């Protein structure tokens, strides 16, 4: 049972993992699809941003790291040079004192002193004079002493403390164990010697060397020279390794020979310097990282150690990296602005071309794409212009064909009606009505004659505004006779527009629409107001009725259909008039309908001002 439950649990985990993976994959696909569907402007901006980020990060990070490594390498090289410089100074000094020992050992009085068990006072005096000469010429010497194998000594500064033999002293034994080789003893505390000068033993470095008989090579005594630490101090303190860096000397017993006053030196463990040679060591001391470099002096085993703070050395680099980061951020902001500008520069012509395409959808063919350059976008714009030109020519051709067709149909109608016969007949009816004093018939016949005359207009499509007004008055006269007290009208025409040319029979369908769809469906008498005026550079025909009006939703659909010439509205007067206006004047003209349900409707025809 438990096995089955475990299997089910494992199966559920696998299913959950698969679903999670599929979910993440789906999100990634959606993001990719969203990006692919984004605008070209956004894509260009995104690509620019990625390139700029990569460049800035590469320069800021790798540049800073390379500079930091270079600084550390240079600091190590400088420390190595300083260590060599210290050792060269010490080596020169030791060599000079070795020479002094050699010259003293070869002095006649010194030789006699070394050979005799009880040298004469005169010999000792001469030997002291020789020693004094060398001491006076070398300020770094604190004292010189000669001890022969019979425990006799000569010195101008040092004397024996007790009667204990000096030949039993460690420094004496150390010297005679390696005759001919100079030995260094730092801070020789505990020896059986005292110095008349004011130098303390812990402030001197002792050089000892056994003196051999040139013939028998037998050790005859030891010469000891105490050197002041001042000479090491002046050399070491003249060297600077940054603000807190320093150099110190350690002997082969891991005792500090000399170091500047510094708390860090006593926190350097001797085990870190156990090898004779080592690559730079990096250690953390008191929460600060230090680089330790040392060299071991051959023969004597001294180590000259250079120590400097890595944080202090790279502090400048850290500051530079901080400034670089600030500069990178500023550069990034400026780059983003510039990228946005470049993206806009590239996509602006495309946006303009897209807007022009939208105008074409609204039947505006009079706008063209203008480009200063002949690049790909410019060539695309030229192709667009050619296409629009061809479309416009095609529409014009269709319009002319339709117009010719209507004119032919009108001519056929005119031929069928025979205007002269019609006019003569109406004139006869008018005469007969006059005989019977039927004034109302006379008025209707006159209106009908005028209506036919202006409507036919000898086949011309355009008439004056004054003729259009005369035509609508005739039409209203006939309609008011039919509907008697149902209709009243008001006419307001700007005198300055009467001679302007307009497409004929615009008002009649609008008024007819107001009667049949507005006033006829209303109880009581209705009123139609017709106004013709100028507004800016346009001519406005407005037909207002006090009919039942149109509800909001049908009104919205009606205006949308008029604007886009969409839907099947064959037989509707408004759409016929609107289509004629669009075909004759362009898409910036046409009809607009305003209405409030229960109050009335206003239809405005917007036309261009065309002088006769």
């Amino acid at each position: 049972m438990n096995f089955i439950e475990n299997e089910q649990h494992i199966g559920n985990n696998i299913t959950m993992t698969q679903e999670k993976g599929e979910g993440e994959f789906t999100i990634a696909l959606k993001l990719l699809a969203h990006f692919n569907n984004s605008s070209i402007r956004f894509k260009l901006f995104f690509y620019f941003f990625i390139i700029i980020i990569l460049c800035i990060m590469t320069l800021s990070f790798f540049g800073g790291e390379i500079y930091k490594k270079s600084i550390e390498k240079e600091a190590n090289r400088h420390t190595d040079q300083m260590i060599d410089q210290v050792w060269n100074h010490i080596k020169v000094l030791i060599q000079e004192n070795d020479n002094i020992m050699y010259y003293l050992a070869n002095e006649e009085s010194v030789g006699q002193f070394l050979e005799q068990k009880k040298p004469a006072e005169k010999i000792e005096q001469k030997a002291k004079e020789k020693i004094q000469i060398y001491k006076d010429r070398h300020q770094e010497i604190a004292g010189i002493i000669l001890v022969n194998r019979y425990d006799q000594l000569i010195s101008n500064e040092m004397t024996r403390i007790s009667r204990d033999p000096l030949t039993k002293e460690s420094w004496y034994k150390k010297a005679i164990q390696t005759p001919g080789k100079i030995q260094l003893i730092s801070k020789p505390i505990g020896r059986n010697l005292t110095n008349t000068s004011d130098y303390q033993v812990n402030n001197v470095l002792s050089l000892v060397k056994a003196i051999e008989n040139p013939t028998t090579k037998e050790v005859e005594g030891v010469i000891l020279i105490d050197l002041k630490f001042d000479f090491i101090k002046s050399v070491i303190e003249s060297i600077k390794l940054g603000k807190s860096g320093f150099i110190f000397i350690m002997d082969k017993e891991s005792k500090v020979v000399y170091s500047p006053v510094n708390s860090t030196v006593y926190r350097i463990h001797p085990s870190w310097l156990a090898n004779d040679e080592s690559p730079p060591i990096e250690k953390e001391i008191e929460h600060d990282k230090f680089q330790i470099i040392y060299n071991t002096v051959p023969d004597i085993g001294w180590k000259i150690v250079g120590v400097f703070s890595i944080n202090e050395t790279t502090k400048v680099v850290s500051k530079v990296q901080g400034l670089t980061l600030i500069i990178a951020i500023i550069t990034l902001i400026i780059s983003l602005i510039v990228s946005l500008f470049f993206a806009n520069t590239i996509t602006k012509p495309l946006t303009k071309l897209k807007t022009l395409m939208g105008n074409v959808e609204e039947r505006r063919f009079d706008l063209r794409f203008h480009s200063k350059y002949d690049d790909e976008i410019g060539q695309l714009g030229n192709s667009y212009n050619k296409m629009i030109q061809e479309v416009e020519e095609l529409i014009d051709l269709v319009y002319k064909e339709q117009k010719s067709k209507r004119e032919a149909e009108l001519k056929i109608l005119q031929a069928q009606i025979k205007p002269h016969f019609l006019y003569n007949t109406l004139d006869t009816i008018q005469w007969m009505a006059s005989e019977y004093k039927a004034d109302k018939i006379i008025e209707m016949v006159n209106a009908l004659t005028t209506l036919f005359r202006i409507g036919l207009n000898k086949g011309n499509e355009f008439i004056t505004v004054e003729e259009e007004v005369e035509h609508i008055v005739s039409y209203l006269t006939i309609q008011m006779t039919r509907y008697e007290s149902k209709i009243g009208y008001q006419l307001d025409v700007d005198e300055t527009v009467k001679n302007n040319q307009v497409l004929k029979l615009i008002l009649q369908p609008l008024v007819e629409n107001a009667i049949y769809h507005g006033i006829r469906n209303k109880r009581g008498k209705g009123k139609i107001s017709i106004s013709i005026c100028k507004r800016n550079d346009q001519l406005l025909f407005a037909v207002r009725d006090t009919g039942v009006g149109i509800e909001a939703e049908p009104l919205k659909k009606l205006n949308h259909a008029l604007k886009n010439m969409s839907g099947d509205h064959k037989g509707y007067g408004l759409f016929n008039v609107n289509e004629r206006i669009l075909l004759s004047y362009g898409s910036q003209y046409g009809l607009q309908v305003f209405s409030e349900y229960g109050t009335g409707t206003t239809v405005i025809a917007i036309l261009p001002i065309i002088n006769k």
Side-chain angles (χ1 to χ4, degrees), residues 152 162 191 337 419 448 510 576 579:
Q152 299 296 316
S162 66
R191 63 187 183 183
I337 296 171
L448 186 61
L510 305 185
N576 290 336
E579 184 176 5

Side-chain angles (χ1 to χ4, degrees), residues 216-426:
T216 63
K217 299 298 180 183
E218 190 177 349
V219 176
E220 294 180 326
V222 171
I223 185 169
L224 180 146
I225 299 177
D226 279 347
L227 295 177
K228 304 171 187 173
F229 270 148
D230 289 352
F231 79 96
I232 297 177
K233 181 181 177 182
S234 62
V235 173
I236 289 180
E237 293 189 351
S238 65
I239 295 172
K240 299 295 181 186
L241 300 178
K243 282 186 177 179
S244 59
F246 59 91
I247 286 180
F248 71 98
I249 301 172
M250 181 180 285
D251 62 17
K252 59 183 179 182
E253 282 82 25
S254 300
K255 296 178 181 177
V256 176
V257 176
Y258 177 79
S259 73
V261 179
N262 193 299
S263 60
T264 305
V265 67
Y266 296 104
R267 290 178 171 78
I268 297 175
H269 200 276
S271 62
W272 299 348
L273 314 175
N275 299 325
D276 289 344
E277 292 184 359
S278 171
I281 304 168
E282 186 176 316
K283 294 290 181 184
E284 184 171 337
I285 301 173
E286 292 184 325
H287 309 295
D288 194 3
K289 286 185 178 180
F290 283 88
Q291 190 90 309
I292 302 173
I293 301 172
Y294 66 92
N295 281 336
T296 303
V297 179
D299 299 332
I300 61 176
W302 281 15
K303 288 184 171 65
I304 302 174
V305 186
V307 182
F308 63 87
S309 169
I310 295 177
N311 293 337
E312 181 184 289
T313 304
T314 58
K315 188 176 180 181
V316 176
V317 180
S318 299
K319 284 186 178 178
V320 171
Q321 285 180 320
L323 290 173
T324 302
L325 179 62
I326 295 172
I327 294 171
I329 293 172
I330 295 172
T331 305
L332 181 62
I333 294 172
I334 295 173
S335 300
L336 290 179
I337 296 171
V338 174
S339 299
L340 191 61
F341 172 76
F342 286 151
N344 282 335
T345 302
I346 295 173
T347 58
K348 189 176 180 180
L350 292 174
T351 306
K352 183 180 177 182
L353 195 56
K354 179 186 172 186
T355 305
L356 291 176
M357 291 286 189
N359 290 328
V360 171
E361 292 178 355
E362 296 177 356
R363 297 172 181 268
R364 292 199 61 183
F365 302 100
D366 56 328
L367 300 176
R368 295 291 184 271
F369 182 81
H370 301 286
S371 176
K372 297 179 182 177
Y373 311 105
D374 193 28
D375 54 8
E376 288 83 352
I377 297 175
Q379 294 172 10
L380 184 63
N382 292 333
S383 299
Y384 162 81
N385 291 339
K386 289 179 183 177
M387 181 187 71
I388 295 302
Q389 180 70 29
E390 291 176 358
V391 170
E392 191 174 28
E393 290 174 358
L394 186 60
I395 291 175
D396 187 56
L397 179 62
V398 171
Y399 171 72
K400 287 178 179 176
E401 288 178 354
Q402 291 293 325
K403 185 178 178 183
S404 299
K405 184 179 177 182
R406 285 202 302 272
E407 288 176 352
E409 290 174 350
L410 187 61
K411 285 178 182 177
I412 293 172
L413 181 63
Q414 285 177 335
Q416 290 175 348
I417 295 175
K418 295 187 182 303
H420 289 291
F421 173 75
L422 181 63
Y423 294 155
N424 290 335
T425 304
L426 289 173

Side-chain angles (χ1 to χ4, degrees), residues 21-243:
E22 289 174 357
E24 292 174 350
F25 183 69
T26 303
I27 293 172
L29 286 179
K30 286 182 179 178
L31 290 174
L32 182 61
H34 179 72
F35 177 78
N36 289 331
N37 291 324
S38 299
S39 65
I40 295 176
R41 176 172 170 270
F42 175 78
K43 291 177 182 175
L44 286 173
F45 180 72
F46 180 77
Y47 294 145
F48 286 151
F49 180 76
I50 294 298
I51 292 171
I52 291 167
I53 283 286
L54 286 176
C55 292
I56 290 177
M57 286 184 65
T58 302
L59 291 175
S60 302
F61 180 75
F62 291 107
E65 286 300 313
I66 291 172
Y67 184 50
K68 190 174 181 179
K69 293 292 181 187
S70 176
I71 289 288
E72 288 183 7
K73 188 175 180 181
E74 183 62 25
N76 291 343
R77 190 180 66 80
H78 175 70
T79 305
D80 275 334
Q81 290 177 347
M82 295 302 102
I83 290 172
D84 291 341
Q85 183 178 334
V86 170
W87 168 237
N88 288 332
H89 276 82
I90 295 173
K91 188 167 68 174
V92 169
L93 191 65
I94 292 173
Q95 186 61 47
E96 287 179 354
N97 284 275
D98 192 23
N99 293 337
I100 292 173
M101 290 177 176
Y102 174 78
Y103 296 140
L104 281 174
N106 287 283
E107 290 289 341
E108 182 180 358
S109 56
V110 173
Q112 292 173 349
F113 165 76
L114 293 173
E115 292 173 354
Q116 297 178 12
K117 194 171 184 178
K118 289 184 179 180
E121 186 176 349
K122 185 178 179 182
I123 294 173
E124 290 181 354
Q125 187 60 37
K126 285 185 178 179
K128 286 182 180 179
E129 290 175 356
K130 294 295 181 184
I131 290 172
Q132 190 62 40
I133 290 171
Y134 288 104
K135 184 176 181 300
D136 292 343
R137 288 181 175 272
H138 295 272
Q139 297 299 320
E140 72 275 10
I141 296 176
I144 301 174
I145 186 171
L146 284 169
V147 179
N148 65 11
R149 54 185 169 177
Y150 305 111
D151 198 30
Q152 299 296 316
L153 66 89
I154 297 174
S155 178
N156 295 317
E157 304 83 9
M158 289 183 277
T159 59
R160 193 190 301 265
I161 297 174
S162 66
R163 292 184 178 181
D164 294 337
L166 295 178
T167 54
K168 301 295 183 183
E169 293 279 297
S170 60
W171 53 271
Y172 186 92
K173 292 179 178 177
K174 192 173 184 179
I176 62 175
Q177 287 174 358
T178 53
K181 189 174 180 180
I182 197 166
Q183 299 292 329
L184 277 64
I185 303 170
S186 62
K187 301 177 181 177
I189 299 171
R191 63 187 183 183
N192 188 21
L193 290 173
T194 183
N195 198 321
T196 57
S197 66
D198 55 353
Y199 275 94
Q200 300 295 321
V201 176
N202 56 355
N203 285 329
V204 297
L205 171 66
S206 297
L207 306 180
V208 294
K209 187 177 182 181
I211 303 173
E212 296 176 308
N213 186 296
T215 306
T216 63
K217 299 298 180 183
E218 190 177 349
V219 176
E220 294 180 326
V222 171
I223 185 169
L224 180 146
I225 299 177
D226 279 347
L227 295 177
K228 304 171 187 173
F229 270 148
D230 289 352
F231 79 96
I232 297 177
K233 181 181 177 182
S234 62
V235 173
I236 289 180
E237 293 189 351
S238 65
I239 295 172
K240 299 295 181 186
L241 300 178
K243 282 186 177 179

